[in-house]
Amino acid sequence: MNTVVYSTFNHIQGKIGSRWAQLVRETGSENILLVAIDAAKYTPKAIIATFFGDILVKPFDIDSSTSGFNKLKKLVESIKEKNGLSQVVVGIETTGHYYEHLVFKCHLEGYHVRTVNAATTAKEREALLNWSKTDNLDLMAIIQSVIHGRGTSNELPSGNIVQLRKLTRARRELVAERTKTKNLVLMHMDHIFREYQGKTVWVNGKRGFSKPFSDVFGKASRYLMRNHPHPEDILVLGKKGLRELSIRENLKIREETINILIDFAEGSISLSKEQVDADIYLLIQKLDRLEFLDNQIKALEAKIEDLFVVMEGAVILSVQGIGLVTGAELIAEMGDISDFDQAGQLIKLAGTNPIVKQSGGHRPAYYGVSKQGRRPFRNIVYQVGKSLAVNNPEMHQRYLRLKERGKHPREAYIALGNRMIRLAFSMIRNQTFYQTKDEHYVLLEEINKKIRKSNVQKFFETHVSPTVCAS
């Protein structure tokens, strides 16, 4: 058996690599039946082969239901018995989310499942010098990927981890939608009141910039955009009307802001109110949508908090610069760390490991990050590093040292994010809190800043002592 090659991947894949090498070694490659499945929404396709690539059953279709899986299972068991094979290994390409139910069903049948990403199968097709892409070629690429040990055999995340991952990814989608909605609001305001977001002003011959609101989406600004968006509306209200409106609606509009609004409205180049009626109508729609998204995100964050505070990964909330959302996202994307022997394997999973090239006796050259891992994981690693660079005193000093060495801010953020992965890996495995030399650091104060008071006690009961009082 050629099992030596698989052990070389162990340092990359962690325990999942070791398990695959052990499976091949203990079972014997001649006793393994390979099944490749190209997942799809309606009609998945499968092929059955030996570990040496000999096709036993040509590509065939199954439907995405119990009857389709039973057809596959009946055929697999028949071939397995006929050829005297002892182990079934199923390779499935991770297409969207359609592969997940197939993975679950295969695990229930006791099959060993290897998941293969699309980039891996693309490389296999490229190695065959074939630029075509068909379902049959995809199946052969999956077979070759499994034979070469390129898939991963970890089970799908389950329990709180999978729930947290779904919630945090849903929040990220809503945040992206909110950003898009805000941009549309600004676009409509450009048509309605061109100067509302600010304009260039000249003071003593020098160019400057003036704007009525520091936050165009603050409470006062949103009220005006919804009820008095046009320069004509501002002029009708006048200074007195704006002051009375501010008091009546508790908008806390400053006198300086009122003066700027009146000045900008008097000199506005915007079209008349009748000519931008459609924009005003659409603006109100977008503001309604924005309010709806704000409420959804707020509710989702509360749900994330309630779930996260009792998970073992919540200990990273003790780190300065790691808030509820960033902490929950990081833990959700890390998943179950028991599948890994060291933090470096998680860094590779994120694709934030540096590319190193070395040949002969030359010194190694370091390039950008590999980007070969999961994009959502890589995104949160960057965001975590960025937050630490600003909000964590010790990490901020490290960030400055990286900058002094000529690192671009993006590179420094990734470096700090990778460091946080290592720190989180250790903290979760040992269930310890953040250790800092900051004499002003108090754990209770740090946790109080990040989660609701109702959850602070729950956090301390879970991670410190069941009898602790956090009040």
Side-chain angles (χ1 to χ4, degrees):
M1 292 185 295
N2 297 322
T3 59
V4 176
V5 64
Y6 299 108
S7 64
T8 64
F9 287 98
N10 293 354
H11 71 291
I12 297 174
Q13 295 181 327
K15 292 182 180 178
I16 54 178
S18 300
R19 291 168 186 166
W20 172 242
Q22 184 178 356
L23 174 74
V24 176
R25 183 163 49 248
E26 293 180 351
T27 306
S29 54
E30 69 278 5
N31 296 316
I32 294 177
L33 180 68
L34 292 185
V35 180
I37 302 177
D38 186 8
K41 184 172 185 177
Y42 299 114
T43 313
K45 205 164 190 177
I47 189 172
I48 302 177
T50 68
F51 193 84
F52 305 103
D54 299 321
I55 306 301
L56 300 178
V57 179
K58 293 181 179 180
F60 59 95
D61 294 333
I62 58 175
D63 59 85
S64 297
S65 65
T66 300
S67 62
F69 185 80
N70 287 340
K71 172 186 175 181
L72 174 68
K73 175 186 170 184
K74 184 177 180 181
L75 189 54
V76 166
E77 293 300 325
S78 173
I79 298 296
K80 178 184 174 184
E81 183 178 352
K82 180 180 177 180
N83 291 275
L85 305 176
S86 59
Q87 181 64 262
V88 176
V89 175
V90 181
I92 304 179
E93 187 177 68
T94 54
T95 306
H97 56 270
Y98 303 123
Y99 74 101
E100 294 178 357
H101 290 93
L102 289 168
V103 171
F104 178 74
K105 295 288 286 185
C106 287
H107 277 307
L108 289 179
E109 295 301 327
Y111 300 156
H112 184 92
V113 180
R114 303 284 289 178
T115 55
V116 183
N117 63 43
T120 300
T121 55
K123 285 294 183 182
E124 286 294 340
R125 290 195 303 273
E126 186 178 317
L128 295 171
L129 300 180
N130 194 327
W131 292 100
S132 301
K133 185 186 186 304
T134 66
D135 290 341
N136 290 353
L137 283 174
D138 285 344
L139 289 171
M140 289 305 303
I142 295 170
I143 289 286
Q144 290 298 319
S145 296
V146 174
I147 291 173
H148 295 151
R150 295 198 178 100
T152 57
S153 57
N154 57 317
E155 296 185 18
L156 292 172
S158 59
N160 285 346
I161 282 290
V162 71
Q163 300 301 323
L164 187 65
R165 186 175 295 176
K166 287 182 177 180
L167 291 173
T168 53
R169 288 186 177 181
R171 180 195 171 276
R172 184 170 284 272
E173 289 175 2
L174 287 178
V175 169
E177 187 176 350
R178 181 172 64 180
T179 299
K180 182 179 178 181
T181 303
K182 284 183 175 181
N183 289 335
L184 291 173
V185 167
L186 298 179
M187 180 198 70
H188 289 304
M189 281 304 297
D190 278 339
H191 292 296
I192 298 166
F193 188 168
R194 182 66 183 85
E195 300 79 7
Y196 186 80
Q197 298 170 53
K199 72 173 186 177
T200 299
V201 294
W202 297 89
V203 180
N204 298 326
K206 293 183 178 181
R207 185 174 62 183
F209 187 78
S210 175
K211 56 182 181 179
F213 299 97
S214 57
D215 180 10
V216 75
F217 292 103
K219 178 183 177 181
S221 180
R222 287 198 192 200
Y223 184 90
L224 288 179
M225 287 192 292
R226 179 180 291 278
N227 298 284
H228 309 280
H230 196 269
E232 294 177 15
D233 298 327
I234 300 298
L235 294 176
V236 168
L237 285 170
K239 292 184 178 181
K240 182 180 179 181
L242 285 169
R243 292 190 193 100
E244 292 174 351
L245 179 67
S246 177
I247 295 170
R248 185 174 70 248
E249 301 296 335
N250 192 28
L251 301 179
K252 298 179 181 178
I253 303 177
R254 297 177 303 167
E255 189 68 22
E256 180 185 359
T257 297
I258 291 174
N259 291 333
I260 293 174
L261 282 171
I262 296 294
D263 180 50
F264 284 5
E266 289 175 344
S268 178
I269 60 172
S270 297
L271 300 175
S272 67
K273 193 171 181 179
E274 291 74 16
Q275 290 175 293
V276 293
D277 181 67
D279 279 291
I280 294 174
Y281 177 80
L282 294 172
L283 170 67
I284 294 172
Q285 277 199 331
K286 297 301 182 294
L287 289 170
D288 288 341
R289 179 63 179 164
L290 184 58
E291 184 177 351
F292 173 74
L293 290 170
D294 283 339
N295 291 333
Q296 276 203 321
I297 291 170
K298 185 177 180 180
L300 199 50
E301 287 175 351
K303 182 80 171 176
I304 290 169
E305 180 183 323
D306 291 339
L307 177 64
F308 185 48
V309 292
V310 295
M311 294 175 61
E312 61 178 10
V315 292
I316 71 168
L317 289 177
S318 62
V319 179
Q320 294 162 299
I322 297 295
L324 170 70
V325 172
T326 52
E329 282 198 58
L330 180 63
I331 296 304
E333 296 304 331
M334 285 174 62
D336 185 0
I337 68 167
S338 66
D339 276 334
F340 301 91
D341 292 314
Q342 54 182 293
Q345 294 152 0
L346 281 166
I347 292 172
K348 185 171 180 62
L349 182 65
T352 53
N353 55 303
I355 298 171
V356 185
K357 294 186 179 181
Q358 183 181 21
S359 180
H362 297 287
R363 294 177 62 181
Y366 295 86
Y367 296 83
V369 297
S370 70
K371 295 186 180 181
Q372 289 181 307
R374 296 202 307 254
R375 179 177 292 178
F377 193 2
R378 189 161 57 253
N379 288 342
I380 190 57
V381 171
Y382 176 85
Q383 294 300 328
V384 163
K386 192 173 183 179
S387 178
L388 290 171
V390 177
N391 301 306
N392 186 297
E394 294 172 353
M395 292 291 192
H396 178 67
Q397 292 303 315
R398 187 176 293 273
Y399 170 75
L400 295 178
R401 288 196 294 271
L402 288 169
K403 291 285 295 296
E404 289 173 0
R405 287 164 48 189
K407 297 293 184 183
H408 189 278
R410 288 194 298 269
E411 295 175 305
Y413 295 151
I414 288 293
L416 293 181
N418 285 343
R419 183 167 181 80
M420 186 61 226
I421 289 178
R422 295 187 182 93
L423 184 59
F425 184 83
S426 175
M427 290 172 65
I428 295 169
R429 174 162 288 187
N430 302 309
Q431 279 299 284
T432 55
F433 293 114
Y434 181 57
Q435 302 297 316
T436 175
K437 296 178 181 179
D438 184 357
E439 59 183 17
H440 300 294
Y441 176 89
V442 178
L443 177 61
L444 177 58
E445 291 180 2
E446 190 67 27
I447 300 302
N448 263 322
K449 291 188 295 186
K450 298 173 181 178
I451 59 179
R452 303 193 307 273
K453 188 175 181 180
S454 58
N455 277 326
V456 172
Q457 182 68 33
K458 192 182 298 184
F459 175 90
F460 277 85
E461 289 176 351
T462 304
H463 304 288
V464 181
S465 170
T467 59
V468 73
C469 179
S471 58

